[in-house]
Amino acid sequence: MDDETAAGHARETGRASATAPGPPRPTTPLRVLVAVRSATPLHRLLDALRAFSGDHRVDIRFTLVPGSEFFVGALAALGSAGAEQIPWEEATTDAGWRLVLAASPNGELDRLTAPLVLLPHGAGHNKRGADDLPITSSATRPRRDDGRPLVTLHAVAHPGQRPRPPGLSAVVGDPTLDRMDQSRPRRARYRSALGTGARRLVVLTSTWGPESLLARRPGLPLRLVRELPLDGYQVALVLHPNVYSRRGRTGLRRELEPALHAGLLRPEPYEEWAAVLLAADVVVSDHGSTALYAVAQGVPVINGYEGGAELLPGSPLATLLADAPRLDHHAPYAAQLDAARTDGPCQATGRAVAAAFAARGEALPRLRARLYGLLGIAPPEADPTTDATPFPVPAVRGTGPHATEVWTVSEGDLVRVVRRPPGGDPGDFLAADSDLAAARLLQNAALLHRRGDVPAATLGTPLGPDEVWRAEDWARERLDRYPVCRGVGLVVAEDRCLLWRSGEPAVALRAELSAPQQTGAPLVRHDPVAVLSAVHGWLDAHPGAPRPGRLTCVVAGREATVTLTAATALEVALPVGPP
């Protein structure tokens, strides 16, 4: 049966199942085994298993197929998913399975006697890899020892993925892509959860292996977060699950720690990566299939692959990367990223997406019809649900930066400010979070800042802090303790700050929202610490000048009008926690 016939059969089966009563309801659950070889196939299978949603007649168990170098990562992923596991030896000797699902053809799958459904574990087959063989590979054992075909059904995402040697196949689409499509209306909420705001979110995607982006350019994440202005850009790194398996989470965090402290986001390899991709403004990708999911959502891609033998010529990804702008490591990154974002997806985007994905939006209904046909029962009356990708947890944001190098340029009553994490070129001055920055940064910071943390409602209650300082006393203590410090700022609200400078009375700052840059766009609220830094820089540049009543602060190209007034007695007495 060819792909188009199989696809038509799946649609007809799905329609018929809604009205046909089917065989009698089974008295005992029908047992389905999910055979997992590494974390990547598991994540794909978890999306596909929604085809069984709402059915108590099906009992699903997971087993780990031995022999992969990514065994440990797969075991951890199964645990994180809360999967009901059974040992491989038990799975291969149990004759009660009605169906086996897998997303990798590797391992001794011929030891499982039940019908085997093989799904793809990526957006088509685009690269070669020792433990990442495609379902179309001739290295897959085509038959069992008794002569029966090893795979009962190849459930593929596109007709171009039909297997060799030929066998029964059905084009069912891509459940992961459908889930991203379902989640697209949440884009603004994902950006809010990530703290992106009006910044441009740049996502690096790295597959695994010696030709991957992280293997070839291990310093790129840190270089990007240090080079790109903090108020204009946010950087995230999406890694293939096999990278976690090979390096371990502890080792990986150690390697990435400088970039994480500088603000790099590192989403988890299941679900969170999709939310981050949906929130992205531009993606820099190697030859991993994540780039195809990005362009399918309309996100422009820059080619970060530096060549080698792993990318398959003529594959959808090869088509995409051949036409995408190439990342130049000898030129400033910001201009390249902005150009790709302005130009939008490259000309090959449509061809690449069409060559990788088919039956868009139909994956779960098509897959459900096929799976229940093999089980011999009618599917539940309710349609399968495609849940939106959940919001990223706050931990994905990383740990910093807790200090910034600040550059300011004054032109009359207008001041431009640029902030970057420390470690690169030195700025005009260093600003540091008084509560969170390391001691060496506090000792070298010209501006210390903190966010007010003691609501007035807690004072005098059993839940209130044991020690409360007046804001004025706290600020003067900071100025006295750190000789380099010339200013201390307190963020009172998102649009209001207090600033103390040596030998000067406290100043209250109130920043207005920036006007939208185009019709229908939102107003922009700036990071209040950026506004504090801008005003501090202007005052440094104009020693002895009368304090202006208003300043125009330009942050990431957006103007904000900041009103400066003398702080009131109530404001300088605001309660803060201990220094």
Side-chain angles (χ1 to χ4, degrees):
M1 182 183 297
D2 61 26
D3 288 335
E4 294 304 318
T5 304
H9 176 71
R11 287 192 292 271
E12 293 301 323
T13 304
R15 283 196 292 267
S17 65
T19 56
R25 176 175 170 171
T27 57
T28 58
L30 301 178
R31 302 177 66 208
V32 174
L33 180 67
V34 181
V36 177
R37 181 154 173 97
S38 66
T40 307
L42 172 63
H43 297 157
R44 304 289 299 188
L45 290 164
L46 289 174
D47 285 342
L49 286 174
R50 289 180 169 84
F52 293 114
S53 63
D55 198 339
H56 63 278
R57 301 168 300 171
V58 178
D59 181 31
I60 299 175
R61 293 289 186 270
F62 294 75
T63 190
L64 190 57
V65 182
S68 171
E69 65 173 299
F70 306 112
F71 180 91
V72 174
L75 191 62
L78 282 168
S80 297
E84 297 287 343
Q85 301 178 53
I86 62 171
W88 172 249
E89 289 303 322
E90 180 181 333
T92 56
T93 56
D94 191 330
W97 305 113
R98 292 290 298 271
L99 195 63
V100 177
L101 302 182
S104 170
N106 302 311
E108 297 179 335
L109 295 178
D110 56 311
R111 295 181 61 187
L112 301 168
T113 58
L116 172 63
V117 176
L118 194 60
L119 292 92
H121 65 266
H125 181 52
N126 302 286
K127 65 184 286 283
R128 303 179 180 93
D131 199 49
D132 199 21
L133 296 175
I135 63 171
T136 57
S137 171
S138 59
T140 305
R141 294 186 62 180
R143 295 191 175 275
R144 306 175 190 269
D145 292 339
D146 60 7
R148 290 183 299 127
L150 175 65
V151 179
T152 304
L153 175 67
H154 291 273
V156 298
H158 187 276
Q161 299 168 12
R162 55 180 172 266
R164 295 189 302 270
L168 180 64
S169 65
V171 177
V172 299
D174 189 307
T176 299
L177 178 65
D178 286 359
R179 196 175 183 201
M180 293 183 70
D181 288 343
Q182 182 79 9
S183 305
R184 194 184 304 176
R186 290 187 174 192
R187 170 180 160 82
R189 296 289 301 278
Y190 292 140
R191 291 174 65 87
S192 178
L194 294 169
T196 305
R199 294 181 291 175
R200 301 170 183 86
L201 177 55
V202 180
V203 179
L204 303 176
T205 68
S206 178
T207 187
W208 63 283
E211 295 180 11
S212 68
L213 183 67
L214 195 61
R216 292 274 182 85
R217 296 280 176 176
L220 181 59
L222 180 59
R223 181 178 169 187
L224 273 177
V225 293
R226 282 182 173 172
E227 179 176 318
L228 297 175
L230 178 64
D231 296 298
Y233 300 86
Q234 188 180 38
V235 182
L237 175 62
V238 171
L239 296 171
H240 192 284
N242 287 355
V243 179
Y244 290 85
S245 297
R246 277 189 167 173
R247 304 191 184 189
R249 289 183 175 273
T250 301
L252 189 59
R253 178 165 186 83
R254 184 183 66 252
E255 294 174 27
L256 295 174
E257 195 164 27
L260 293 171
H261 279 288
L264 178 71
L265 308 183
R266 184 181 57 81
E268 290 296 310
Y270 179 54
E271 295 188 318
E272 278 190 342
W273 72 268
V276 170
L277 214 61
L278 285 162
D281 291 292
V282 62
V283 167
V284 178
S285 178
D286 56 17
H287 55 312
S289 62
T290 306
L292 290 168
Y293 289 104
V295 296
Q297 301 303 322
V299 181
V301 168
I302 294 178
N303 182 0
Y305 179 52
E306 299 186 13
E310 292 182 355
L311 180 64
L312 290 177
S315 64
L317 190 56
T319 299
L320 173 65
L321 294 181
D323 202 44
R326 183 174 294 277
L327 187 65
D328 183 355
H329 297 286
H330 301 290
Y333 289 130
Q336 301 178 66
L337 298 170
D338 290 347
R341 180 172 174 265
T342 302
D343 296 342
C346 63
Q347 295 179 355
T349 293
R351 297 195 305 273
V353 172
F357 305 112
R360 196 162 177 174
E362 302 178 29
L364 287 186
R366 286 185 173 218
L367 185 60
R368 171 177 273 203
R370 289 291 180 173
L371 297 180
Y372 276 91
L374 292 171
L375 287 174
I377 61 172
E381 293 183 2
D383 292 333
T385 56
T386 303
D387 295 334
T389 299
F391 297 111
V393 298
V396 76
R397 297 191 188 185
T399 59
H402 300 322
T404 54
E405 293 286 355
V406 182
W407 291 259
T408 58
V409 176
S410 300
E411 303 169 9
D413 289 345
L414 181 146
V415 56
R416 303 178 187 276
V417 61
V418 174
R419 300 188 300 156
R420 293 186 176 91
D425 294 335
D428 297 330
F429 62 89
L430 180 69
D433 189 305
S434 178
D435 295 326
L436 302 175
R440 62 177 178 82
L441 296 173
L442 295 176
Q443 292 163 359
N444 290 285
L447 174 65
L448 297 177
H449 53 82
R450 83 182 303 179
R451 298 179 186 271
D453 57 355
V454 183
T458 68
L459 298 180
T461 72
L463 298 180
D466 295 329
E467 195 176 74
V468 177
W469 285 56
R470 293 173 68 253
E472 175 92 26
D473 296 334
W474 165 78
R476 298 304 175 189
E477 189 277 341
R478 299 282 91 179
L479 287 167
D480 291 341
R481 175 178 294 193
Y482 296 104
V484 173
C485 181
R486 301 190 303 274
V488 175
L490 177 67
V491 177
V492 179
E494 290 301 314
D495 63 343
R496 191 159 56 98
C497 305
L498 299 175
L499 177 63
W500 289 264
R501 288 173 54 90
S502 300
E504 300 177 15
V507 180
L509 316 176
R510 186 180 295 275
E512 299 176 6
L513 296 175
S514 289
Q517 292 185 319
Q518 58 189 24
T519 304
L523 299 172
V524 174
R525 177 180 287 130
H526 297 293
D527 182 346
V529 177
V531 174
L532 266 174
S533 300
V535 174
H536 178 78
W538 190 95
L539 294 173
D540 266 359
H542 299 80
R547 189 190 67 217
R550 283 176 175 253
L551 283 176
T552 299
C553 297
V554 181
V555 185
R558 294 180 175 86
E559 294 186 358
T561 299
V562 181
T563 303
L564 288 73
T565 59
T568 66
L570 184 61
E571 287 174 325
V572 298
L574 285 172
V576 297

